[in-house]
Amino acid sequence: MRLWVLLSLLLLHETLQRVTGQPTKSKRPKEPGENKIKNANKKMKPKFPKLKERESSETPTKTQSIMIQVMDKGRFQKPTATLSLPAGQSIELRCKGNKIGWNYPSYLDTFKDSRLSIKQLDRYGQLILANSTAADTGEYSCWLLLCNGYNCKKDESKTGSTYIFFFTDKEELFVPTSSYFEIVYLNPDKPAVVPCRVTIPSAKVTLHREFPAEEIKTDGTNIIYDVKKGFLYQHPTFDHKGVVYCRAESWGAPQISIKYQLLYVEVPSGPPSTTIVASSNKAEGGDDVKVFCIVLGEPDVEVEFSWKYPGEEYERPVIIQNSWRLINRGIGHTTRISKSVIAIEDFETIDAGNYLCTAQNLRGQTTVATHVELT
């Protein structure tokens, strides 16, 4: 009987030790498979699924927004694609990174506005616009710059942007401009924009022709309206030329924008179409000689000139003058004439030879030459 009680107490003691996780004092041999049972009780995760989950979480996204808006009382929030704020309010934007590039409405740069402050701090870039006005309406964007010495490039994967509408109590529907009349060039090779933007995104905006007086319908294909840009002519033609204006309406009385002169451009896009001509290709000693380099091009495309001439290596003094003007080549057809003139006074032996003019625009360059000899 005593032996049976002792055996029962021993079994009870071992059972309690297994439940509490305490090591047993008896050094009995382990049963086959006992280790596997204990490992299963620890709920160990298989290694393969864990590695797969880690890889998926560490995969970087294509783009990462780095912009935040500083709110009142030290709060922060990521700005939405568009914001509507009352004019007069100040706004602070920050973008994470040790070197940040910014873009904002060109209006603020044109007048070197002191209301705009941009700083680069250790861990973020900061843009502050104080006392905002309706004219400040536009896109504000930033991006991280990756620099190697003085060479920097934009990191396309880390950017941020928001378009801000600054509205006024006076219901100034159109974004103010510095002029009362603007020229819009219609090029058959690229879209044209009539930039009548509004300060209230919900405003109803229509496009009108001055003569004959009529509304120009937007069809969603050839002419569309973008609240951030204005009216877009996707495929401009000669028939679109003329004077137009925009009409906006939002609760109160309708408002009219400034007028836009649409001019059709007949010069095709590409490197400068350049010609060169000398006042005389045969000059006598002591003559004054001029060589003209002329480019016909698109009205809004600037041209830069450079010269090579025989007396250059002798540091022969010459006079170089550059100019440009717009000419009307028929109703609604406008061309830009850019001209560079090199003048040589008291022509002499070192001035005889080839005169080379290089004209360059954003689409390429063209070099032309003429020969002037001494008789």
Side-chain angles (χ1 to χ4, degrees), residues 213-254:
E214 61 181 359
E215 180 181 343
I216 302 174
K217 299 293 184 181
T218 56
D219 55 13
T221 304
N222 293 318
I223 302 178
I224 61 176
Y225 181 69
D226 186 330
V227 71
K228 298 179 182 179
K229 298 179 180 179
F231 286 93
L232 277 66
Y233 286 75
Q234 298 288 71
H235 307 286
T237 67
F238 178 76
D239 295 332
H240 292 141
K241 64 181 177 57
V243 178
V244 300
Y245 62 90
C246 300
R247 182 178 184 271
E249 189 173 355
S250 178
W251 302 303

Side-chain angles (χ1 to χ4, degrees), residues 28 54 160 261:
R28 64 177 181 81
R54 182 182 300 171
Q261 174 74 60

Side-chain angles (χ1 to χ4, degrees), residues 59 75 191 265 282 290 351 356:
T59 302
R75 295 184 299 113
V265 179
K282 294 183 179 181
K290 291 183 178 180
D351 299 319
L356 281 73

Side-chain angles (χ1 to χ4, degrees), residues 57-229:
S57 64
E58 292 177 355
T59 302
T61 56
K62 291 184 179 180
T63 57
Q64 178 183 348
S65 177
I66 60 174
M67 178 182 285
I68 59 172
Q69 179 186 358
V70 180
M71 310 298 290
D72 56 351
K73 298 180 181 179
R75 295 184 299 113
F76 301 90
Q77 72 174 20
K78 283 191 175 295
T80 53
T82 59
L83 295 174
S84 290
L85 303 175
Q89 179 176 324
S90 298
I91 185 169
E92 179 180 350
L93 300 173
R94 295 181 182 180
C95 290
K96 184 179 179 181
N98 57 6
K99 195 169 186 62
I100 297 295
W102 291 94
N103 185 49
Y104 43 85
S106 57
Y107 165 85
L108 294 167
D109 259 344
T110 303
F111 301 98
K112 296 181 179 179
D113 207 314
S114 60
R115 297 177 300 117
L116 178 69
S117 170
I118 294 180
K119 295 180 180 179
Q120 179 63 57
L121 304 177
D122 290 339
R123 304 176 70 177
Y124 60 87
Q126 178 192 61
L127 181 149
I128 297 178
L129 178 63
N131 301 321
S132 59
T133 67
D136 301 326
T137 295
E139 185 172 14
Y140 294 77
S141 60
C142 65
W143 54 89
L144 179 66
L145 288 171
L146 301 176
C147 298
N148 182 10
Y150 292 103
N151 297 322
C152 297
K153 64 178 182 178
K154 180 179 179 180
D155 187 346
E156 298 289 350
S157 66
K158 294 182 179 179
T159 62
S161 68
T162 184
Y163 190 97
I164 306 178
F165 297 91
F166 290 104
F167 59 90
T168 65
D169 294 336
K170 299 178 182 179
E171 289 192 2
E172 194 172 16
L173 295 182
F174 288 104
V175 178
T177 62
S178 57
S179 62
Y180 297 96
F181 190 86
E182 289 187 14
I183 295 177
V184 176
Y185 297 107
L186 304 177
N187 190 313
D189 297 335
K190 61 183 180 182
V193 180
V194 178
C196 45
R197 299 177 297 124
V198 291
T199 59
I200 300 177
S202 60
K204 180 183 178 182
V205 187
T206 53
L207 182 64
H208 298 260
R209 189 187 305 277
E210 186 177 53
F211 184 83
E214 61 181 359
E215 180 181 343
I216 302 174
K217 299 293 184 181
T218 56
D219 55 13
T221 304
N222 293 318
I223 302 178
I224 61 176
Y225 181 69
D226 186 330
V227 71
K228 298 179 182 179
K229 298 179 180 179

Side-chain angles (χ1 to χ4, degrees), residues 14 24 26 34 56 71 120 210 221 258 284 325 328-329 332 351-352 358:
E14 289 182 355
T24 59
S26 66
E34 186 174 348
S56 62
M71 310 298 290
Q120 179 63 57
E210 186 177 53
T221 304
I258 67 171
E284 296 181 355
R325 63 188 178 93
N328 191 344
R329 304 180 66 184
D351 299 319
T358 299

